[in-house]
Amino acid sequence: MLENIFTLLMLVMLQAVLGFDNLLYISLESKKAPEQDRKRVRKVGILIAIGLRIVLLFLLVSLIDYFQEPFSFLTGDFKDVAEFAFNGHSLIVLIGGGFIIYTAIKEIWHMISKHDLTQDVEAANSKRSKSANAAIVSIVLMNLVFSFDSILAAIGLTSDIENPTTAFIIMAIAIVISGLLMLILADKISAFLAKNRMYEVLGLFILFIVGIMLVTEGGHLAHIKLFGNEIVPMSKTTFYFVLAVLVIVDVVQGRYQKKLLAESQHAKMKQGEGSH
């Protein structure tokens, strides 16, 4: 009994650690919905995702060999140029990573584009109102992509439990608890980004790196070799190190800009006093 409780706590911690990038995506994606619907979008998206995660867990437990076994029609060896052996796991991770990279680049371009500033307000509102349900769908789908590895890790952690039903129940409880934590933290992260809009750019670049991490992991799972060089996955340690560097650079740059602005204002005040 105590061993099962300890396993459950480990699973919840695992889901929490692996879920940070997921939370960031949820917070940024929900901003595409109308303001009055954003909280509902986050809640509905996460709640649906919790249910689908449990379904995904059941499928993975039942069909784990199918997801890991390479598809015979998606394997190839083109001499020294490229080798690959795609399986279900690698395809899901690659598609998810590619979609996240596309989303991040699109949002960054949207931020720096001047065209959107001259758009008709009515058209912009129409576009936003359509995106509420689309945002929920995106949150659910990407939640499943992010949860794929954490569920596989959970299956590994519970492999010592002899009773398969007990193992499944423990993993399902961990998914529900981590989903509820995500529900609480998603609102807090969204509120923080709303108050500190300058961190949106940082968030998008972190999301871009998440996409790269997933693409490299998918390439590794598919055993892709380009010109004899195997695709090496970006480790979580490297990801968190890069994340820390980005945050530090952003904080230092923000403070330096404030210092330059204060110096500029001080110089203008001195010039004003000198002219009198």
Side-chain angles (χ1 to χ4, degrees):
M1 183 67 181
L2 284 173
E3 189 180 340
N4 290 346
I5 292 170
F6 179 74
T7 304
L8 176 62
L9 291 172
M10 287 289 291
L11 286 173
V12 171
M13 285 176 64
L14 175 74
Q15 297 278 341
V17 170
L18 297 178
F20 172 78
D21 38 16
N22 197 355
L23 275 173
L24 186 62
Y25 181 85
I26 290 167
S27 300
L28 292 170
E29 187 66 27
S30 65
K31 287 198 70 180
K32 295 177 184 177
E35 193 171 349
Q36 68 273 16
D37 290 336
R38 287 174 190 173
K39 198 167 184 177
R40 181 181 66 84
V41 164
R42 288 192 294 272
K43 283 185 177 178
V44 173
I46 293 171
L47 286 171
I48 293 172
I50 291 171
L52 289 179
R53 270 188 176 200
I54 293 170
V55 173
L56 178 63
L57 171 64
F58 178 76
L59 288 173
L60 282 177
V61 168
S62 307
L63 306 169
I64 192 164
D65 292 335
Y66 175 77
F67 279 98
Q68 303 300 335
E69 192 69 30
F71 298 123
S72 58
F73 59 93
L74 285 176
T75 57
D77 184 359
F78 298 95
K79 294 183 179 178
D80 296 328
V81 180
E83 288 179 45
F84 51 86
F86 291 99
N87 56 23
H89 189 181
S90 64
L91 286 174
I92 290 169
V93 175
L94 278 168
I95 292 167
F99 181 76
I100 289 172
I101 290 172
Y102 164 76
T103 301
I105 291 172
K106 186 181 74 171
E107 289 302 312
I108 292 167
W109 180 255
H110 174 79
M111 278 182 170
I112 61 175
S113 174
K114 292 180 180 178
H115 175 72
D116 289 323
L117 297 175
T118 57
Q119 272 188 338
D120 181 57
V121 176
E122 201 173 304
N125 287 337
S126 172
K127 188 179 177 183
R128 277 199 153 188
S129 65
K130 285 180 183 176
S131 68
N133 289 333
I136 291 173
V137 172
S138 296
I139 286 170
V140 170
L141 290 176
M142 294 317 301
N143 198 293
L144 290 176
V145 171
F146 281 117
S147 66
F148 208 94
D149 282 344
S150 62
I151 288 174
L152 286 172
I155 292 170
L157 278 174
T158 55
S159 59
D160 293 334
I161 298 173
E162 292 181 8
N163 190 331
T165 306
T166 305
F168 180 82
I169 290 169
I170 289 171
M171 286 187 280
I173 291 170
I175 287 170
V176 172
I177 292 171
S178 63
L180 293 174
L181 286 172
M182 202 177 289
L183 206 60
I184 297 164
L185 292 173
D187 286 345
K188 292 185 183 296
I189 290 174
S190 295
F192 175 80
L193 290 176
K195 288 178 184 175
N196 304 273
R197 293 202 64 190
M198 58 184 172
Y199 290 113
E200 282 183 35
V201 177
L202 174 65
L204 287 169
F205 273 100
I206 291 172
L207 210 60
F208 178 75
I209 294 168
V210 169
I212 292 172
M213 182 178 70
L214 286 174
V215 166
T216 57
E217 187 180 342
H220 176 71
L221 290 167
H223 305 289
I224 296 175
K225 284 186 180 180
L226 298 174
F227 302 102
N229 297 309
E230 191 176 349
I231 301 292
V232 179
M234 181 190 289
S235 69
K236 280 282 181 181
T237 307
T238 305
F239 168 71
Y240 287 124
F241 176 76
V242 173
L243 189 152
V245 170
L246 280 175
V247 171
I248 291 167
V249 169
D250 196 71
V251 170
V252 171
Q253 188 176 19
R255 291 190 177 183
Y256 185 58
Q257 282 178 339
K258 284 180 182 178
K259 182 185 172 184
L260 290 178
L261 186 62
E263 286 176 355
S264 175
Q265 287 174 344
H266 184 66
K268 282 180 182 178
M269 284 175 67
K270 272 195 169 184
Q271 282 179 357
E273 287 172 5
S275 62
H276 290 302

